[in-house]
């Protein structure tokens, strides 16, 4: 199966730019109720994932940092504690499932590393559930 079937395209994904501020990221993540967002640079290249944990560690490890001062912190200067991997649009489903064990979403890039969207772990779980139990099982449990 082609993983493009699962793709949520970039234009439907909330992401941040590395030159955005910590405050912008905090507010956007709060508004959408996300615990992590992809980071995409000005050229459209996926450069990592920013998590709530990264933001919390930055707050903890920066003496006297208040919420009001978070507009002075640039995201690219915030250490990331987990390196979320992206997959190529041509990757196989096994690679996708393997990465989804550790990530809420899997970023998808084209052959040039340009970010084209994400695949949500919930969509992968639904796919696997349907493989195991089929649609008949879904109908009887509703």
């Amino acid at each position: 199966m082609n993983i493009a079937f699962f793709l949520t395209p970039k234009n439907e994904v909330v992401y941040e730019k590395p030159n955005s501020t910590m405050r912008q990221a905090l507010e956007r993540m709060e508004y959408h109720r996300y615990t992590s967002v992809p980071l995409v640079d000005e050229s459209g290249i996926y450069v990592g994932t920013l998590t709530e944990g990264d933001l919390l560690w930055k707050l903890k490890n920066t003496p006297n940092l208040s919420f009001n001062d978070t507009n002075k912190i640039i995201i690219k200067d915030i250490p990331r504690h987990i390196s979320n991997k992206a997959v190529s649009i041509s990757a196989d489903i096994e690679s996708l499932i393997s990465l989804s064990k550790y990530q809420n979403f899997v970023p998808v890039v084209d052959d040039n590393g340009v970010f084209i969207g994400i695949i949500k772990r919930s969509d992968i779980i639904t796919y696997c559930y349907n493989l195991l139990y089929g649609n008949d099982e879904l109908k009887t449990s509703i």
Side-chain angles (χ1 to χ4, degrees), residues 5 14 16 23 29 31 49 61 67 85 93 115 122 125:
F5 172 78
V14 174
E16 274 303 335
R23 184 172 185 149
M29 290 170 76
Y31 178 82
T49 296
N61 294 324
F67 179 74
K85 305 282 189 235
I93 192 76
F115 178 76
S122 60
I125 291 171

Side-chain angles (χ1 to χ4, degrees), residues 29-89:
M29 290 170 76
E30 177 187 28
Y31 178 82
H32 291 284
R33 305 192 60 77
Y34 291 153
T35 59
S36 58
V37 292
L39 294 174
V40 180
D41 73 10
E42 300 297 329
S43 301
I45 304 296
Y46 169 75
V47 295
T49 296
L50 182 70
T51 68
E52 282 181 329
D54 299 331
L55 298 170
L56 288 170
W57 282 109
K58 181 64 177 173
L59 280 169
K60 178 191 173 289
N61 294 324
T62 307
N64 302 317
L65 179 62
S66 71
F67 179 74
N68 290 334
D69 293 332
T70 59
N71 65 338
K72 299 173 187 167
I73 307 285
I74 304 300
I75 290 175
K76 68 181 175 186
D77 297 330
I78 298 173
R80 292 191 300 273
H81 293 84
I82 297 173
S83 177
N84 288 355
K85 305 282 189 235
V87 294
S88 167
I89 190 64

Side-chain angles (χ1 to χ4, degrees), residues 82-138:
I82 297 173
S83 177
N84 288 355
K85 305 282 189 235
V87 294
S88 167
I89 190 64
S90 59
D92 57 30
I93 192 76
E94 290 81 12
S95 300
L96 185 64
I97 291 170
S98 177
L99 285 175
S100 72
K101 293 187 305 186
Y102 307 104
Q103 302 173 193
N104 292 336
F105 60 86
V106 178
V108 181
V109 297
D110 67 13
D111 293 336
N112 296 315
V114 174
F115 178 76
I116 58 174
I118 63 170
I119 298 177
K120 296 177 243 169
R121 181 168 42 198
S122 60
D123 291 340
I124 298 165
I125 291 171
T126 299
Y127 168 76
C128 291
Y129 180 90
N130 286 336
L131 278 180
L132 286 171
Y133 300 108
N135 288 334
D136 291 336
E137 179 69 23
L138 275 175

